[in-house]
Structure formats: structure tokens, C-alpha cells
Amino acid sequence: MFLIFGNPVSHSKSPLMHNYFFKKSGINECYGRYKLENGEEIIKKFKELKIKGANVTVPHKEWAFKLCDETRGIAKEIGAVNTLIEENGKIIGYNTDAPGFLEAIKEFDYKKVLIIGAGGTAKALSLVLPHADILNRSESRLVYFKEKNKTCYTWENIKNFEYDLIINTTSAGLSDENYPAPAEILENLFLNAKYAVDVIYGKETPFLKLAKKYNLKTKTGLDMLVYQGVLAMELFLEKELDKKEAAGIYFEILR
């Protein structure tokens, strides 16, 4: 038995994805969801429910990081865990979000990257895209990135528009028609870029619609969702999967 912890969690596509994968792969397992009100109880609940593994979504990723017995891989640097597994009585924490993003953009040929936003997703992606620059509305939220010696800009002082890949990590466009930065900045960026990726999935955001007008190749956050799911499944099953084949199964049910 596997599940996802979150609050809210009813919207999560993880049960749909993973149960379909189990069915198609002939694996006798199931995957559910658990609305967890108090993040401090995440490991206690994991043990009480006697599950083998879990995914963790907002707002509990930091609690999972703090409370699991051990963290491995990039989770240590990010300070957030999105996958938990039980191993010899210990609860081990991983983060498959950022590596999943890298898998999602594997076919892109890029060198210069600009990340728009300064939240948790931006931090995670900046660790797996070490040469990426950061653009954010306010200066105050750029402290973390400056401490990591990142080149940072605000809307007022951006002067470099030469990037191959532009990534939106903000919530702009999720439930509105807003851009993650002023249109004139995006237009200047899109004149030179080849690719635009939005971490939002389930809709084509205004950011991606504008990118398409400039003939950029675009991706929604669906690919990131799928590939982080594939990497989590490898941890659940304790074996390496054919990532392209596994992703194909997830895409079947999600598209």
C-alpha cells in the first residue's frame, strides 16, 4: 500500500497515475490519498498506516524533511522531501521533483537558463540547473539565490535577455490570466529563446500562449509531474525502470 499525504489532497493526480501503472504493469499494489492536517504527524501516520511508501505534497514537504530518519540525494540541499519509503524500519526521504524536471527537458538543447520566481520550486530547480539565472518581482526574496552566487534580476533591473530556456515557477496563470513578469520583459526574452516551460499543469497558461506566438517549443508541468512520479515509483519498487516506457504509461491516463 502506498499513498500521498497533503492538505488539500483531493485534487492530486498521483493515485490515478500510480494505480494505472500498477494495473498496466501487473503489480498487485494500490495507491491512495490521505488528507493530513498536521505535518508534524507525518512520520507517525506513515507508521500507523503500515504503508510501504508515500508521496508528500504541499504543505508537508518541509515536515517530511525534518522528521524522516534519513534524507538522501538532492533532498538534503533542497530541504524538502516529496517521497518517503520504509527501509529496514527506517523512514527515508527523497526529492524527485527537481530530477523529474531534468528528465522532462532531456530532449531540449539549451545552455543559458532563466528561472522566473523565487519560491520552493525555483530553489529546487536552481540546484539541478546550477548555471541558471533568477528573475523575480521583488528583491527581498532573492537573498537565498544571491547567497548561492546566482545572477539575480528584478523586473526593474533585468538587462540580459539572451537565454535558451525560460522557466516559470510562479503561480501566475494557475487560476488567473496573469503573466509571471511584465509582457514586455517576456517578449524580449522570447525573441531570443528556444524553449519555455511552465511548472503549472492542467492548462495552457498565458505565459506559454505568449511563448508559442514567438514559435518557442513549450511544455506544461505535466511532464515534470510524470517524471517525478516515475522516479518515485523506482523508489517504491526498489528497481530501475525504463523511464520512457513508464512515462508513456502515465501519459496514457493523464492526457
Side-chain angles (χ1 to χ4, degrees), residues 109-116 131-135 150-153 158-167 185 188-196 216:
D109 177 25
Y110 61 89
K111 287 180 182 172
K112 298 174 183 174
V113 183
L114 181 69
I115 297 170
I116 303 176
H131 303 299
D133 293 349
I134 314 295
L135 171 65
K150 296 281 182 190
T151 300
C152 299
Y153 299 107
I158 184 168
K159 54 183 181 287
N160 181 14
F161 296 96
E162 302 281 335
Y163 295 98
D164 304 311
L165 169 62
I166 317 295
I167 306 163
I185 290 177
N188 282 328
L189 289 167
F190 292 159
L191 278 170
N192 301 300
K194 294 189 281 186
Y195 313 103
L216 272 66

PDB file of all heavy atoms in Angstrom, residues 109-116 131-135 150-153 158-167 185 188-196 216:
ATOM      1  N   ASP A 109      17.884  21.251 -26.146  1.00  0.00           N
ATOM      2  CA  ASP A 109      19.304  21.614 -26.329  1.00  0.00           C
ATOM      3  C   ASP A 109      19.473  23.060 -25.849  1.00  0.00           C
ATOM      4  O   ASP A 109      19.187  23.995 -26.574  1.00  0.00           O
ATOM      5  CB  ASP A 109      19.684  21.469 -27.808  1.00  0.00           C
ATOM      6  CG  ASP A 109      21.124  21.897 -28.072  1.00  0.00           C
ATOM      7  OD1 ASP A 109      21.937  21.847 -27.126  1.00  0.00           O
ATOM      8  OD2 ASP A 109      21.422  22.301 -29.213  1.00  0.00           O
ATOM      9  N   TYR A 110      19.900  23.211 -24.606  1.00  0.00           N
ATOM     10  CA  TYR A 110      19.975  24.552 -24.012  1.00  0.00           C
ATOM     11  C   TYR A 110      21.286  24.733 -23.250  1.00  0.00           C
ATOM     12  O   TYR A 110      21.911  23.777 -22.803  1.00  0.00           O
ATOM     13  CB  TYR A 110      18.808  24.757 -23.035  1.00  0.00           C
ATOM     14  CG  TYR A 110      18.819  23.772 -21.889  1.00  0.00           C
ATOM     15  CD1 TYR A 110      19.502  24.043 -20.704  1.00  0.00           C
ATOM     16  CD2 TYR A 110      18.168  22.541 -21.998  1.00  0.00           C
ATOM     17  CE1 TYR A 110      19.539  23.128 -19.661  1.00  0.00           C
ATOM     18  CE2 TYR A 110      18.205  21.629 -20.964  1.00  0.00           C
ATOM     19  CZ  TYR A 110      18.889  21.912 -19.805  1.00  0.00           C
ATOM     20  OH  TYR A 110      18.930  20.998 -18.780  1.00  0.00           O
ATOM     21  N   LYS A 111      21.681  25.979 -23.129  1.00  0.00           N
ATOM     22  CA  LYS A 111      22.860  26.327 -22.319  1.00  0.00           C
ATOM     23  C   LYS A 111      22.501  27.369 -21.267  1.00  0.00           C
ATOM     24  O   LYS A 111      22.800  27.221 -20.097  1.00  0.00           O
ATOM     25  CB  LYS A 111      23.987  26.848 -23.215  1.00  0.00           C
ATOM     26  CG  LYS A 111      24.660  25.744 -24.032  1.00  0.00           C
ATOM     27  CD  LYS A 111      25.764  26.293 -24.907  1.00  0.00           C
ATOM     28  CE  LYS A 111      26.373  25.176 -25.748  1.00  0.00           C
ATOM     29  NZ  LYS A 111      27.323  25.705 -26.745  1.00  0.00           N
ATOM     30  N   LYS A 112      21.842  28.441 -21.717  1.00  0.00           N
ATOM     31  CA  LYS A 112      21.520  29.548 -20.811  1.00  0.00           C
ATOM     32  C   LYS A 112      20.069  29.456 -20.366  1.00  0.00           C
ATOM     33  O   LYS A 112      19.164  29.392 -21.200  1.00  0.00           O
ATOM     34  CB  LYS A 112      21.783  30.884 -21.510  1.00  0.00           C
ATOM     35  CG  LYS A 112      23.248  31.091 -21.907  1.00  0.00           C
ATOM     36  CD  LYS A 112      23.396  32.356 -22.713  1.00  0.00           C
ATOM     37  CE  LYS A 112      24.838  32.538 -23.193  1.00  0.00           C
ATOM     38  NZ  LYS A 112      24.962  33.697 -24.091  1.00  0.00           N
ATOM     39  N   VAL A 113      19.873  29.467 -19.031  1.00  0.00           N
ATOM     40  CA  VAL A 113      18.538  29.250 -18.459  1.00  0.00           C
ATOM     41  C   VAL A 113      18.151  30.414 -17.541  1.00  0.00           C
ATOM     42  O   VAL A 113      18.973  30.900 -16.766  1.00  0.00           O
ATOM     43  CB  VAL A 113      18.514  27.939 -17.636  1.00  0.00           C
ATOM     44  CG1 VAL A 113      17.108  27.669 -17.098  1.00  0.00           C
ATOM     45  CG2 VAL A 113      19.013  26.759 -18.461  1.00  0.00           C
ATOM     46  N   LEU A 114      16.890  30.828 -17.624  1.00  0.00           N
ATOM     47  CA  LEU A 114      16.347  31.826 -16.712  1.00  0.00           C
ATOM     48  C   LEU A 114      15.151  31.228 -15.985  1.00  0.00           C
ATOM     49  O   LEU A 114      14.213  30.735 -16.617  1.00  0.00           O
ATOM     50  CB  LEU A 114      15.910  33.087 -17.464  1.00  0.00           C
ATOM     51  CG  LEU A 114      15.356  34.206 -16.562  1.00  0.00           C
ATOM     52  CD1 LEU A 114      16.459  34.824 -15.699  1.00  0.00           C
ATOM     53  CD2 LEU A 114      14.675  35.296 -17.398  1.00  0.00           C
ATOM     54  N   ILE A 115      15.200  31.260 -14.656  1.00  0.00           N
ATOM     55  CA  ILE A 115      14.084  30.806 -13.823  1.00  0.00           C
ATOM     56  C   ILE A 115      13.313  32.028 -13.335  1.00  0.00           C
ATOM     57  O   ILE A 115      13.892  32.929 -12.732  1.00  0.00           O
ATOM     58  CB  ILE A 115      14.590  29.994 -12.613  1.00  0.00           C
ATOM     59  CG1 ILE A 115      15.300  28.715 -13.081  1.00  0.00           C
ATOM     60  CG2 ILE A 115      13.451  29.657 -11.667  1.00  0.00           C
ATOM     61  CD1 ILE A 115      16.035  27.977 -11.968  1.00  0.00           C
ATOM     62  N   ILE A 116      12.007  32.053 -13.587  1.00  0.00           N
ATOM     63  CA  ILE A 116      11.161  33.145 -13.095  1.00  0.00           C
ATOM     64  C   ILE A 116      10.487  32.687 -11.820  1.00  0.00           C
ATOM     65  O   ILE A 116       9.807  31.658 -11.800  1.00  0.00           O
ATOM     66  CB  ILE A 116      10.104  33.561 -14.140  1.00  0.00           C
ATOM     67  CG1 ILE A 116      10.769  33.958 -15.463  1.00  0.00           C
ATOM     68  CG2 ILE A 116       9.257  34.710 -13.607  1.00  0.00           C
ATOM     69  CD1 ILE A 116       9.784  34.281 -16.580  1.00  0.00           C
ATOM     70  N   HIS A 131      23.680  26.721 -13.397  1.00  0.00           N
ATOM     71  CA  HIS A 131      24.093  27.949 -14.087  1.00  0.00           C
ATOM     72  C   HIS A 131      22.915  28.860 -14.417  1.00  0.00           C
ATOM     73  O   HIS A 131      23.078  29.865 -15.120  1.00  0.00           O
ATOM     74  CB  HIS A 131      24.879  27.600 -15.357  1.00  0.00           C
ATOM     75  CG  HIS A 131      26.084  26.755 -15.084  1.00  0.00           C
ATOM     76  ND1 HIS A 131      27.122  27.181 -14.282  1.00  0.00           N
ATOM     77  CD2 HIS A 131      26.384  25.488 -15.466  1.00  0.00           C
ATOM     78  CE1 HIS A 131      28.031  26.230 -14.205  1.00  0.00           C
ATOM     79  NE2 HIS A 131      27.610  25.190 -14.899  1.00  0.00           N
ATOM     80  N   ALA A 132      21.731  28.508 -13.915  1.00  0.00           N
ATOM     81  CA  ALA A 132      20.539  29.310 -14.220  1.00  0.00           C
ATOM     82  C   ALA A 132      20.562  30.640 -13.482  1.00  0.00           C
ATOM     83  O   ALA A 132      21.027  30.738 -12.349  1.00  0.00           O
ATOM     84  CB  ALA A 132      19.282  28.533 -13.835  1.00  0.00           C
ATOM     85  N   ASP A 133      20.057  31.680 -14.148  1.00  0.00           N
ATOM     86  CA  ASP A 133      19.847  32.980 -13.520  1.00  0.00           C
ATOM     87  C   ASP A 133      18.403  33.048 -13.004  1.00  0.00           C
ATOM     88  O   ASP A 133      17.548  32.248 -13.423  1.00  0.00           O
ATOM     89  CB  ASP A 133      20.096  34.109 -14.523  1.00  0.00           C
ATOM     90  CG  ASP A 133      21.556  34.197 -14.954  1.00  0.00           C
ATOM     91  OD1 ASP A 133      22.405  33.528 -14.322  1.00  0.00           O
ATOM     92  OD2 ASP A 133      21.840  34.922 -15.923  1.00  0.00           O
ATOM     93  N   ILE A 134      18.148  34.017 -12.118  1.00  0.00           N
ATOM     94  CA  ILE A 134      16.832  34.128 -11.476  1.00  0.00           C
ATOM     95  C   ILE A 134      16.230  35.508 -11.728  1.00  0.00           C
ATOM     96  O   ILE A 134      16.919  36.522 -11.624  1.00  0.00           O
ATOM     97  CB  ILE A 134      16.932  33.919  -9.946  1.00  0.00           C
ATOM     98  CG1 ILE A 134      17.797  32.710  -9.591  1.00  0.00           C
ATOM     99  CG2 ILE A 134      15.544  33.824  -9.314  1.00  0.00           C
ATOM    100  CD1 ILE A 134      17.274  31.371 -10.013  1.00  0.00           C
ATOM    101  N   LEU A 135      14.940  35.512 -12.059  1.00  0.00           N
ATOM    102  CA  LEU A 135      14.190  36.756 -12.217  1.00  0.00           C
ATOM    103  C   LEU A 135      12.992  36.715 -11.284  1.00  0.00           C
ATOM    104  O   LEU A 135      12.211  35.760 -11.309  1.00  0.00           O
ATOM    105  CB  LEU A 135      13.710  36.923 -13.664  1.00  0.00           C
ATOM    106  CG  LEU A 135      12.723  38.066 -13.945  1.00  0.00           C
ATOM    107  CD1 LEU A 135      13.367  39.426 -13.712  1.00  0.00           C
ATOM    108  CD2 LEU A 135      12.176  37.970 -15.378  1.00  0.00           C
ATOM    109  N   LYS A 150      24.124  33.182  -7.349  1.00  0.00           N
ATOM    110  CA  LYS A 150      23.346  33.227  -8.578  1.00  0.00           C
ATOM    111  C   LYS A 150      23.267  34.668  -9.094  1.00  0.00           C
ATOM    112  O   LYS A 150      23.233  35.614  -8.302  1.00  0.00           O
ATOM    113  CB  LYS A 150      21.914  32.734  -8.327  1.00  0.00           C
ATOM    114  CG  LYS A 150      21.814  31.292  -7.909  1.00  0.00           C
ATOM    115  CD  LYS A 150      21.949  30.399  -9.104  1.00  0.00           C
ATOM    116  CE  LYS A 150      21.800  28.942  -8.730  1.00  0.00           C
ATOM    117  NZ  LYS A 150      22.167  28.072  -9.845  1.00  0.00           N
ATOM    118  N   THR A 151      23.207  34.792 -10.417  1.00  0.00           N
ATOM    119  CA  THR A 151      22.920  36.100 -11.009  1.00  0.00           C
ATOM    120  C   THR A 151      21.423  36.321 -10.905  1.00  0.00           C
ATOM    121  O   THR A 151      20.627  35.505 -11.392  1.00  0.00           O
ATOM    122  CB  THR A 151      23.364  36.158 -12.486  1.00  0.00           C
ATOM    123  OG1 THR A 151      24.763  35.929 -12.543  1.00  0.00           O
ATOM    124  CG2 THR A 151      23.034  37.504 -13.108  1.00  0.00           C
ATOM    125  N   CYS A 152      21.035  37.409 -10.260  1.00  0.00           N
ATOM    126  CA  CYS A 152      19.614  37.664  -9.991  1.00  0.00           C
ATOM    127  C   CYS A 152      19.175  39.012 -10.557  1.00  0.00           C
ATOM    128  O   CYS A 152      19.946  39.975 -10.550  1.00  0.00           O
ATOM    129  CB  CYS A 152      19.355  37.663  -8.486  1.00  0.00           C
ATOM    130  SG  CYS A 152      19.737  36.104  -7.672  1.00  0.00           S
ATOM    131  N   TYR A 153      17.933  39.036 -11.023  1.00  0.00           N
ATOM    132  CA  TYR A 153      17.349  40.278 -11.536  1.00  0.00           C
ATOM    133  C   TYR A 153      15.953  40.476 -10.965  1.00  0.00           C
ATOM    134  O   TYR A 153      15.266  39.513 -10.622  1.00  0.00           O
ATOM    135  CB  TYR A 153      17.218  40.227 -13.067  1.00  0.00           C
ATOM    136  CG  TYR A 153      18.509  40.058 -13.819  1.00  0.00           C
ATOM    137  CD1 TYR A 153      18.820  38.839 -14.430  1.00  0.00           C
ATOM    138  CD2 TYR A 153      19.420  41.109 -13.945  1.00  0.00           C
ATOM    139  CE1 TYR A 153      20.006  38.678 -15.145  1.00  0.00           C
ATOM    140  CE2 TYR A 153      20.601  40.955 -14.650  1.00  0.00           C
ATOM    141  CZ  TYR A 153      20.894  39.735 -15.243  1.00  0.00           C
ATOM    142  OH  TYR A 153      22.072  39.574 -15.932  1.00  0.00           O
ATOM    143  N   ILE A 158      16.466  43.969 -14.921  1.00  0.00           N
ATOM    144  CA  ILE A 158      16.926  42.920 -15.841  1.00  0.00           C
ATOM    145  C   ILE A 158      17.554  43.561 -17.074  1.00  0.00           C
ATOM    146  O   ILE A 158      16.994  44.491 -17.667  1.00  0.00           O
ATOM    147  CB  ILE A 158      15.790  41.940 -16.215  1.00  0.00           C
ATOM    148  CG1 ILE A 158      16.363  40.812 -17.091  1.00  0.00           C
ATOM    149  CG2 ILE A 158      14.608  42.646 -16.871  1.00  0.00           C
ATOM    150  CD1 ILE A 158      15.436  39.644 -17.292  1.00  0.00           C
ATOM    151  N   LYS A 159      18.735  43.083 -17.420  1.00  0.00           N
ATOM    152  CA  LYS A 159      19.414  43.652 -18.589  1.00  0.00           C
ATOM    153  C   LYS A 159      19.891  42.577 -19.568  1.00  0.00           C
ATOM    154  O   LYS A 159      20.389  42.886 -20.649  1.00  0.00           O
ATOM    155  CB  LYS A 159      20.600  44.509 -18.134  1.00  0.00           C
ATOM    156  CG  LYS A 159      21.605  43.826 -17.231  1.00  0.00           C
ATOM    157  CD  LYS A 159      22.695  44.797 -16.799  1.00  0.00           C
ATOM    158  CE  LYS A 159      23.737  44.140 -15.909  1.00  0.00           C
ATOM    159  NZ  LYS A 159      23.240  43.863 -14.553  1.00  0.00           N
ATOM    160  N   ASN A 160      19.768  41.303 -19.171  1.00  0.00           N
ATOM    161  CA  ASN A 160      20.172  40.215 -20.052  1.00  0.00           C
ATOM    162  C   ASN A 160      18.928  39.486 -20.556  1.00  0.00           C
ATOM    163  O   ASN A 160      18.120  39.019 -19.766  1.00  0.00           O
ATOM    164  CB  ASN A 160      21.086  39.243 -19.292  1.00  0.00           C
ATOM    165  CG  ASN A 160      21.550  38.093 -20.167  1.00  0.00           C
ATOM    166  OD1 ASN A 160      21.426  38.137 -21.380  1.00  0.00           O
ATOM    167  ND2 ASN A 160      22.087  37.056 -19.541  1.00  0.00           N
ATOM    168  N   PHE A 161      18.782  39.424 -21.868  1.00  0.00           N
ATOM    169  CA  PHE A 161      17.625  38.740 -22.452  1.00  0.00           C
ATOM    170  C   PHE A 161      18.061  37.567 -23.339  1.00  0.00           C
ATOM    171  O   PHE A 161      17.271  37.047 -24.104  1.00  0.00           O
ATOM    172  CB  PHE A 161      16.769  39.731 -23.253  1.00  0.00           C
ATOM    173  CG  PHE A 161      16.166  40.817 -22.398  1.00  0.00           C
ATOM    174  CD1 PHE A 161      16.788  42.049 -22.274  1.00  0.00           C
ATOM    175  CD2 PHE A 161      14.998  40.604 -21.689  1.00  0.00           C
ATOM    176  CE1 PHE A 161      16.254  43.049 -21.478  1.00  0.00           C
ATOM    177  CE2 PHE A 161      14.449  41.598 -20.877  1.00  0.00           C
ATOM    178  CZ  PHE A 161      15.076  42.824 -20.778  1.00  0.00           C
ATOM    179  N   GLU A 162      19.315  37.172 -23.197  1.00  0.00           N
ATOM    180  CA  GLU A 162      19.870  36.102 -24.039  1.00  0.00           C
ATOM    181  C   GLU A 162      19.823  34.764 -23.318  1.00  0.00           C
ATOM    182  O   GLU A 162      20.794  34.325 -22.698  1.00  0.00           O
ATOM    183  CB  GLU A 162      21.325  36.432 -24.411  1.00  0.00           C
ATOM    184  CG  GLU A 162      21.501  37.759 -25.142  1.00  0.00           C
ATOM    185  CD  GLU A 162      21.147  37.660 -26.618  1.00  0.00           C
ATOM    186  OE1 GLU A 162      21.222  36.555 -27.176  1.00  0.00           O
ATOM    187  OE2 GLU A 162      20.777  38.697 -27.204  1.00  0.00           O
ATOM    188  N   TYR A 163      18.666  34.101 -23.358  1.00  0.00           N
ATOM    189  CA  TYR A 163      18.509  32.792 -22.729  1.00  0.00           C
ATOM    190  C   TYR A 163      17.886  31.812 -23.714  1.00  0.00           C
ATOM    191  O   TYR A 163      17.049  32.188 -24.534  1.00  0.00           O
ATOM    192  CB  TYR A 163      17.625  32.896 -21.486  1.00  0.00           C
ATOM    193  CG  TYR A 163      18.233  33.727 -20.377  1.00  0.00           C
ATOM    194  CD1 TYR A 163      17.865  35.065 -20.204  1.00  0.00           C
ATOM    195  CD2 TYR A 163      19.178  33.184 -19.515  1.00  0.00           C
ATOM    196  CE1 TYR A 163      18.417  35.839 -19.192  1.00  0.00           C
ATOM    197  CE2 TYR A 163      19.741  33.952 -18.501  1.00  0.00           C
ATOM    198  CZ  TYR A 163      19.368  35.273 -18.341  1.00  0.00           C
ATOM    199  OH  TYR A 163      19.930  36.037 -17.346  1.00  0.00           O
ATOM    200  N   ASP A 164      18.273  30.536 -23.591  1.00  0.00           N
ATOM    201  CA  ASP A 164      17.692  29.494 -24.451  1.00  0.00           C
ATOM    202  C   ASP A 164      16.389  28.953 -23.867  1.00  0.00           C
ATOM    203  O   ASP A 164      15.457  28.630 -24.593  1.00  0.00           O
ATOM    204  CB  ASP A 164      18.672  28.305 -24.578  1.00  0.00           C
ATOM    205  CG  ASP A 164      20.025  28.716 -25.098  1.00  0.00           C
ATOM    206  OD1 ASP A 164      20.067  29.422 -26.120  1.00  0.00           O
ATOM    207  OD2 ASP A 164      21.048  28.323 -24.497  1.00  0.00           O
ATOM    208  N   LEU A 165      16.361  28.855 -22.547  1.00  0.00           N
ATOM    209  CA  LEU A 165      15.244  28.211 -21.858  1.00  0.00           C
ATOM    210  C   LEU A 165      14.715  29.128 -20.756  1.00  0.00           C
ATOM    211  O   LEU A 165      15.469  29.571 -19.894  1.00  0.00           O
ATOM    212  CB  LEU A 165      15.727  26.877 -21.242  1.00  0.00           C
ATOM    213  CG  LEU A 165      14.805  26.150 -20.257  1.00  0.00           C
ATOM    214  CD1 LEU A 165      13.493  25.739 -20.915  1.00  0.00           C
ATOM    215  CD2 LEU A 165      15.522  24.914 -19.691  1.00  0.00           C
ATOM    216  N   ILE A 166      13.398  29.411 -20.799  1.00  0.00           N
ATOM    217  CA  ILE A 166      12.745  30.251 -19.792  1.00  0.00           C
ATOM    218  C   ILE A 166      11.760  29.372 -19.018  1.00  0.00           C
ATOM    219  O   ILE A 166      10.920  28.695 -19.625  1.00  0.00           O
ATOM    220  CB  ILE A 166      11.959  31.424 -20.425  1.00  0.00           C
ATOM    221  CG1 ILE A 166      12.763  32.086 -21.568  1.00  0.00           C
ATOM    222  CG2 ILE A 166      11.538  32.417 -19.359  1.00  0.00           C
ATOM    223  CD1 ILE A 166      14.030  32.763 -21.147  1.00  0.00           C
ATOM    224  N   ILE A 167      11.868  29.379 -17.695  1.00  0.00           N
ATOM    225  CA  ILE A 167      11.017  28.527 -16.852  1.00  0.00           C
ATOM    226  C   ILE A 167      10.194  29.385 -15.908  1.00  0.00           C
ATOM    227  O   ILE A 167      10.744  30.179 -15.146  1.00  0.00           O
ATOM    228  CB  ILE A 167      11.873  27.555 -16.016  1.00  0.00           C
ATOM    229  CG1 ILE A 167      12.813  26.735 -16.903  1.00  0.00           C
ATOM    230  CG2 ILE A 167      10.984  26.629 -15.192  1.00  0.00           C
ATOM    231  CD1 ILE A 167      13.952  26.078 -16.138  1.00  0.00           C
ATOM    232  N   ILE A 185       8.903  42.341 -20.859  1.00  0.00           N
ATOM    233  CA  ILE A 185      10.085  41.556 -20.469  1.00  0.00           C
ATOM    234  C   ILE A 185      10.026  40.170 -21.106  1.00  0.00           C
ATOM    235  O   ILE A 185      11.006  39.698 -21.693  1.00  0.00           O
ATOM    236  CB  ILE A 185      10.181  41.434 -18.924  1.00  0.00           C
ATOM    237  CG1 ILE A 185      10.538  42.789 -18.309  1.00  0.00           C
ATOM    238  CG2 ILE A 185      11.213  40.372 -18.519  1.00  0.00           C
ATOM    239  CD1 ILE A 185      10.580  42.790 -16.789  1.00  0.00           C
ATOM    240  N   ASN A 188      10.785  40.291 -24.848  1.00  0.00           N
ATOM    241  CA  ASN A 188      12.222  40.426 -25.107  1.00  0.00           C
ATOM    242  C   ASN A 188      12.959  39.109 -24.884  1.00  0.00           C
ATOM    243  O   ASN A 188      13.896  38.769 -25.621  1.00  0.00           O
ATOM    244  CB  ASN A 188      12.830  41.507 -24.200  1.00  0.00           C
ATOM    245  CG  ASN A 188      12.527  42.905 -24.699  1.00  0.00           C
ATOM    246  OD1 ASN A 188      12.409  43.131 -25.906  1.00  0.00           O
ATOM    247  ND2 ASN A 188      12.404  43.854 -23.795  1.00  0.00           N
ATOM    248  N   LEU A 189      12.538  38.363 -23.877  1.00  0.00           N
ATOM    249  CA  LEU A 189      13.150  37.058 -23.608  1.00  0.00           C
ATOM    250  C   LEU A 189      12.814  36.060 -24.719  1.00  0.00           C
ATOM    251  O   LEU A 189      13.682  35.325 -25.196  1.00  0.00           O
ATOM    252  CB  LEU A 189      12.665  36.517 -22.261  1.00  0.00           C
ATOM    253  CG  LEU A 189      13.180  37.228 -21.008  1.00  0.00           C
ATOM    254  CD1 LEU A 189      12.385  36.799 -19.778  1.00  0.00           C
ATOM    255  CD2 LEU A 189      14.668  36.942 -20.787  1.00  0.00           C
ATOM    256  N   PHE A 190      11.548  36.056 -25.141  1.00  0.00           N
ATOM    257  CA  PHE A 190      11.096  35.084 -26.144  1.00  0.00           C
ATOM    258  C   PHE A 190      11.679  35.347 -27.531  1.00  0.00           C
ATOM    259  O   PHE A 190      11.744  34.433 -28.358  1.00  0.00           O
ATOM    260  CB  PHE A 190       9.563  35.058 -26.207  1.00  0.00           C
ATOM    261  CG  PHE A 190       8.901  34.497 -24.970  1.00  0.00           C
ATOM    262  CD1 PHE A 190       7.567  34.790 -24.678  1.00  0.00           C
ATOM    263  CD2 PHE A 190       9.589  33.682 -24.089  1.00  0.00           C
ATOM    264  CE1 PHE A 190       6.948  34.277 -23.554  1.00  0.00           C
ATOM    265  CE2 PHE A 190       8.987  33.158 -22.953  1.00  0.00           C
ATOM    266  CZ  PHE A 190       7.650  33.452 -22.683  1.00  0.00           C
ATOM    267  N   LEU A 191      12.095  36.571 -27.781  1.00  0.00           N
ATOM    268  CA  LEU A 191      12.744  36.882 -29.064  1.00  0.00           C
ATOM    269  C   LEU A 191      14.011  36.065 -29.267  1.00  0.00           C
ATOM    270  O   LEU A 191      14.383  35.730 -30.386  1.00  0.00           O
ATOM    271  CB  LEU A 191      13.098  38.374 -29.124  1.00  0.00           C
ATOM    272  CG  LEU A 191      11.985  39.334 -29.531  1.00  0.00           C
ATOM    273  CD1 LEU A 191      12.435  40.770 -29.304  1.00  0.00           C
ATOM    274  CD2 LEU A 191      11.611  39.118 -31.008  1.00  0.00           C
ATOM    275  N   ASN A 192      14.700  35.724 -28.167  1.00  0.00           N
ATOM    276  CA  ASN A 192      15.973  35.027 -28.244  1.00  0.00           C
ATOM    277  C   ASN A 192      15.911  33.557 -27.822  1.00  0.00           C
ATOM    278  O   ASN A 192      16.803  32.787 -28.129  1.00  0.00           O
ATOM    279  CB  ASN A 192      17.005  35.729 -27.344  1.00  0.00           C
ATOM    280  CG  ASN A 192      17.209  37.176 -27.741  1.00  0.00           C
ATOM    281  OD1 ASN A 192      17.611  37.469 -28.852  1.00  0.00           O
ATOM    282  ND2 ASN A 192      16.913  38.105 -26.830  1.00  0.00           N
ATOM    283  N   ALA A 193      14.853  33.181 -27.081  1.00  0.00           N
ATOM    284  CA  ALA A 193      14.786  31.842 -26.501  1.00  0.00           C
ATOM    285  C   ALA A 193      14.314  30.789 -27.502  1.00  0.00           C
ATOM    286  O   ALA A 193      13.759  31.104 -28.555  1.00  0.00           O
ATOM    287  CB  ALA A 193      13.861  31.857 -25.286  1.00  0.00           C
ATOM    288  N   LYS A 194      14.545  29.523 -27.131  1.00  0.00           N
ATOM    289  CA  LYS A 194      14.089  28.382 -27.935  1.00  0.00           C
ATOM    290  C   LYS A 194      12.981  27.595 -27.228  1.00  0.00           C
ATOM    291  O   LYS A 194      12.174  26.939 -27.874  1.00  0.00           O
ATOM    292  CB  LYS A 194      15.261  27.441 -28.218  1.00  0.00           C
ATOM    293  CG  LYS A 194      16.340  28.027 -29.093  1.00  0.00           C
ATOM    294  CD  LYS A 194      17.354  26.972 -29.522  1.00  0.00           C
ATOM    295  CE  LYS A 194      18.351  26.649 -28.440  1.00  0.00           C
ATOM    296  NZ  LYS A 194      19.426  25.725 -28.884  1.00  0.00           N
ATOM    297  N   TYR A 195      13.007  27.648 -25.877  1.00  0.00           N
ATOM    298  CA  TYR A 195      12.095  26.806 -25.099  1.00  0.00           C
ATOM    299  C   TYR A 195      11.473  27.589 -23.941  1.00  0.00           C
ATOM    300  O   TYR A 195      12.115  28.443 -23.350  1.00  0.00           O
ATOM    301  CB  TYR A 195      12.841  25.605 -24.494  1.00  0.00           C
ATOM    302  CG  TYR A 195      13.731  24.879 -25.461  1.00  0.00           C
ATOM    303  CD1 TYR A 195      15.116  25.069 -25.417  1.00  0.00           C
ATOM    304  CD2 TYR A 195      13.216  23.992 -26.409  1.00  0.00           C
ATOM    305  CE1 TYR A 195      15.955  24.406 -26.306  1.00  0.00           C
ATOM    306  CE2 TYR A 195      14.045  23.321 -27.292  1.00  0.00           C
ATOM    307  CZ  TYR A 195      15.421  23.538 -27.234  1.00  0.00           C
ATOM    308  OH  TYR A 195      16.236  22.876 -28.107  1.00  0.00           O
ATOM    309  N   ALA A 196      10.214  27.250 -23.634  1.00  0.00           N
ATOM    310  CA  ALA A 196       9.532  27.816 -22.462  1.00  0.00           C
ATOM    311  C   ALA A 196       8.812  26.690 -21.736  1.00  0.00           C
ATOM    312  O   ALA A 196       8.102  25.895 -22.361  1.00  0.00           O
ATOM    313  CB  ALA A 196       8.534  28.893 -22.878  1.00  0.00           C
ATOM    314  N   LEU A 216       8.299  29.338 -29.837  1.00  0.00           N
ATOM    315  CA  LEU A 216       9.112  28.547 -28.927  1.00  0.00           C
ATOM    316  C   LEU A 216       8.489  27.165 -28.743  1.00  0.00           C
ATOM    317  O   LEU A 216       7.264  27.009 -28.840  1.00  0.00           O
ATOM    318  CB  LEU A 216       9.198  29.229 -27.548  1.00  0.00           C
ATOM    319  CG  LEU A 216      10.327  30.241 -27.359  1.00  0.00           C
ATOM    320  CD1 LEU A 216      10.147  31.458 -28.233  1.00  0.00           C
ATOM    321  CD2 LEU A 216      10.412  30.648 -25.894  1.00  0.00           C
TER     322      LEU A 216
END
